[in-house]
Amino acid sequence: MDPYAVLGVDRKASMDEIKRAYREQAAKYHPDKYAGHELEDLAQEKMKQINQAYDTIVREREGGGGSSSRGRYGGNAGAWGAPGSGSAAYAPVRELINQGRLDEAESMLAGFSHDAEWYFLTGAIAYRRGWFDEAQANWRNAVTMDPSNPEYQQAFQYARREPTYGGRSSYSYGNPERDLCQCCTALMCADCLCDCCH
Amino acid sequence: MTGYVRPCKARLAEGDFEIFRAAYCGVCRALGQRYGQVYRSLLSYDMVFYAVLIAREPFETRQRRCAVHPLKRRGAAAAHPALMAAADATVLLAYGKARDNAADSAFWGRAAARTGLAAMKRAYRRASRFLPETAAAMRENLKLLGALEAERAASIDRPAAAFSGILAALSERSDTGERTKRVHAEVLRHVGRWVYLIDAADDFAEDMRRGLYNPIAARFGLGGSMTEEIKEEMRRTLEMSRSAALEALDLDESGAYTPIVENILLYGLAAAENRVFEKLQS
């Protein structure tokens, strides 16, 4: 694959332009954003391509030998599978969740008593399904039952974070002023298609 | 015209509005050609969104006149796989809605009731041949939705998931491989949750008045009106779905009209949300 095409830059682009394009792409597909997401694997694949493209260009331009991977963004393991997290009993459930086998994970959870980790994993299943209300409620329970657990805290904060709109949050839309579409509200968007389709 | 899922014209790039309009006319024509003129009344913005989402090649536009706009010639997209898929989906979902007779939802189109269930049966059969997976998902999920409504489930996510599962199945017509299919299923799933919940918010007052099941009321134990706190909570969770839909869309690398889809998800849905919640405030 053409590394320049992957980063969306011209072959004649300066190194600064390439770095900027790389940073933009990396921010867009950053694994943290897709943690616990149904399409996490696709985002990781994309991130790998971006890293490889950047490395290839740096190597080409520096005539090889240069340590190109300095400062690049890494990927992480499955969202709920960081080695050593959680109790051994729940390990197979975590594995299933990371594989996206959510129904199976849910049936397996049915055999456990409802402790903090149970709520945490139930929340992880909900999150991956896009059931954001239930994800948050379950993670809140996990945090309440075991406030000292950093993994549960992190998940709960994650569910309460400002939505990123795929890294577009820097354009400042929405909360709390919801200025995003104030311009569009009623005045424009409400009728924005009225002249086209009736 | 029905549907919450539409673009924000003010923020569309030049020329993109004409494309969206041509897609709109294209789905309408496809409905007429594939099912008969009367079915054109089922047209909704939501299905035009679907066509624009799955289109891989640009539409070919021709200047046309039609019965709906007899005086003006307009660019209408000519036969295109995405438009045909949207026409099939329109008929399928409208039939599902009519049969579900859970009425009221703007998404499914009130026109469905007018067209009449019996008359639609043949069209439905035809549509399900073109969308077999969606037809199967619809049969199953409408049953589930009916059960959840009957038991007045205290959840917003579960009934929303039954509904969005039907939309996600529409990715069967994304014909550029498994990867794209997964991406589209995800976009449609998040948009489906958003549509179901915005519709529930929109219908809230009337559901309360008529004593009907409303998932938001059931989830938060509300009697008469929606408190400010719950409105905030709802807006948050709707925003999560919008954001997740965009994140999924970012992984679609071969769309013909990604900027239009992005406009809809980023601005169009937000505008619809503002409209619904401002109405709730009064």
Side-chain angles (χ1 to χ4, degrees):
Chain A
M1 209 182 269
D2 175 11
Y4 292 90
V6 171
L7 296 183
V9 290
D10 194 85
R11 288 200 155 269
K12 293 187 216 98
S14 70
M15 207 51 220
D16 279 348
E17 288 167 324
I18 287 163
K19 273 186 194 148
R20 200 176 321 125
Y22 169 70
R23 269 191 227 112
E24 274 168 22
Q25 293 275 312
K28 190 167 172 186
Y29 297 106
H30 200 279
D32 286 354
K33 239 178 55 194
Y34 288 92
H37 202 285
E38 179 61 27
L39 302 176
E40 193 175 6
D41 58 323
L42 298 185
Q44 279 169 358
E45 220 173 79
K46 184 75 195 169
M47 196 64 219
K48 212 190 273 172
Q49 277 175 14
I50 294 163
N51 279 332
Q52 273 167 0
Y54 183 69
D55 284 355
T56 307
I57 295 172
V58 171
R59 257 200 312 276
E60 260 174 33
R61 297 203 170 187
E62 290 180 354
S67 109
S68 55
S69 50
R70 208 179 315 135
R72 56 176 228 175
Y73 297 85
N76 59 0
W80 321 117
S85 55
S87 63
Y90 284 113
V93 179
R94 285 176 185 256
E95 186 59 34
L96 288 172
I97 297 174
N98 284 335
Q99 290 171 12
R101 292 157 67 185
L102 304 181
D103 292 343
E104 290 165 75
E106 196 175 32
S107 327
M108 198 180 271
L109 275 179
F112 287 87
S113 61
H114 298 190
D115 57 10
E117 193 167 1
W118 186 92
Y119 282 108
F120 167 70
L121 293 172
T122 302
I125 293 172
Y127 187 84
R128 189 152 178 162
R129 285 176 170 151
W131 299 10
F132 299 118
D133 183 51
E134 293 200 7
Q136 193 183 300
N138 280 290
W139 283 342
R140 179 182 281 126
N141 282 343
V143 168
T144 309
M145 290 170 86
D146 185 357
S148 64
N149 186 304
E151 194 181 25
Y152 308 163
Q153 282 290 354
Q154 199 192 348
F156 184 58
Q157 295 310 322
Y158 191 58
R160 295 297 296 178
R161 78 195 188 285
E162 288 301 320
T164 62
Y165 299 102
R168 295 168 183 83
S169 53
S170 57
Y171 298 69
S172 85
Y173 338 96
N175 265 332
E177 296 82 21
R178 300 217 164 76
D179 51 327
L180 154 62
C181 242
Q182 291 308 354
C183 84
C184 300
T185 310
L187 286 175
M188 285 154 126
C189 266
D191 297 311
C192 73
L193 296 168
C194 62
D195 58 342
C196 93
C197 305
H198 285 280
Chain B
M1 198 40 60
T2 60
Y4 298 101
V5 189
R6 32 175 129 165
C8 175
K9 186 181 178 183
R11 296 203 187 233
L12 275 174
E14 216 186 314
D16 279 356
F17 177 68
E18 283 67 30
I19 293 171
F20 184 81
R21 186 159 78 178
Y24 187 94
C25 295
V27 177
C28 188
R29 297 189 81 86
L31 273 166
Q33 279 158 5
R34 285 166 89 75
Y35 295 94
Q37 295 304 314
V38 65
Y39 289 92
R40 293 171 75 162
S41 66
L42 298 175
L43 184 61
S44 78
Y45 283 118
D46 302 342
M47 289 298 111
V48 183
F49 162 77
Y50 167 60
V52 176
L53 171 71
I54 66 168
R56 301 292 99 179
E57 301 293 331
F59 302 126
E60 239 179 82
T61 308
R62 296 195 195 120
Q63 292 300 314
R64 288 235 152 93
R65 254 188 257 273
C66 75
V68 192
H69 310 107
L71 299 178
K72 284 191 209 159
R73 279 174 161 277
R74 286 210 163 133
H80 183 289
L83 301 172
M84 294 192 245
D88 297 337
T90 301
V91 171
L92 194 78
L93 297 184
Y95 182 82
K97 172 58 187 168
R99 237 191 50 181
D100 187 43
N101 69 42
D104 295 330
S105 165
F107 174 77
W108 301 90
R110 290 181 189 89
R114 289 202 294 274
T115 313
L117 202 57
M120 279 186 76
K121 188 103 194 181
R122 260 188 68 202
Y124 162 72
R125 286 217 188 95
R126 182 173 154 84
S128 27
R129 270 206 305 279
F130 294 119
L131 289 165
E133 289 169 35
T134 312
M138 191 169 89
R139 277 192 297 274
E140 200 176 302
N141 287 16
L142 284 183
K143 233 181 271 167
L144 181 60
L145 198 54
L148 287 165
E149 282 169 5
E151 71 182 44
R152 298 195 160 231
S155 165
I156 53 174
D157 284 329
R158 285 161 200 266
F163 177 80
S164 64
I166 304 172
L167 287 208
L170 285 173
S171 64
E172 66 177 299
R173 290 286 275 278
S174 307
D175 49 13
T176 35
E178 267 324 295
R179 190 184 182 282
T180 313
K181 225 173 247 187
R182 278 185 61 200
V183 170
H184 289 170
E186 221 25 41
V187 173
L188 290 163
R189 188 186 313 283
H190 293 301
V191 170
R193 178 180 186 267
W194 183 90
V195 166
Y196 183 85
L197 293 180
I198 200 73
D199 194 37
D202 208 2
D203 289 348
F204 185 84
E206 183 159 359
D207 287 349
M208 293 297 93
R209 209 166 30 242
R210 296 169 57 193
L212 297 173
Y213 170 72
N214 182 286
I216 301 169
R219 158 69 177 86
F220 297 104
L222 303 173
S225 62
M226 215 187 286
T227 63
E228 288 307 313
E229 196 194 343
I230 302 307
K231 276 179 205 158
E232 255 330 287
E233 199 59 40
M234 282 309 298
R235 296 204 67 158
R236 264 201 88 76
T237 208
L238 284 161
E239 217 179 344
M240 293 288 280
S241 286
R242 283 196 273 128
S243 179
L246 267 165
E247 279 160 12
L249 180 72
D250 281 340
L251 292 163
D252 184 354
E253 296 179 286
S254 56
Y257 298 117
T258 306
I260 300 180
V261 181
E262 194 178 339
N263 170 291
I264 295 173
L265 297 180
L266 194 51
Y267 302 114
L269 301 192
E273 219 173 281
N274 284 343
R275 283 197 301 278
V276 168
F277 280 87
E278 265 158 34
K279 203 184 74 187
L280 267 173
Q281 247 128 43
S282 59

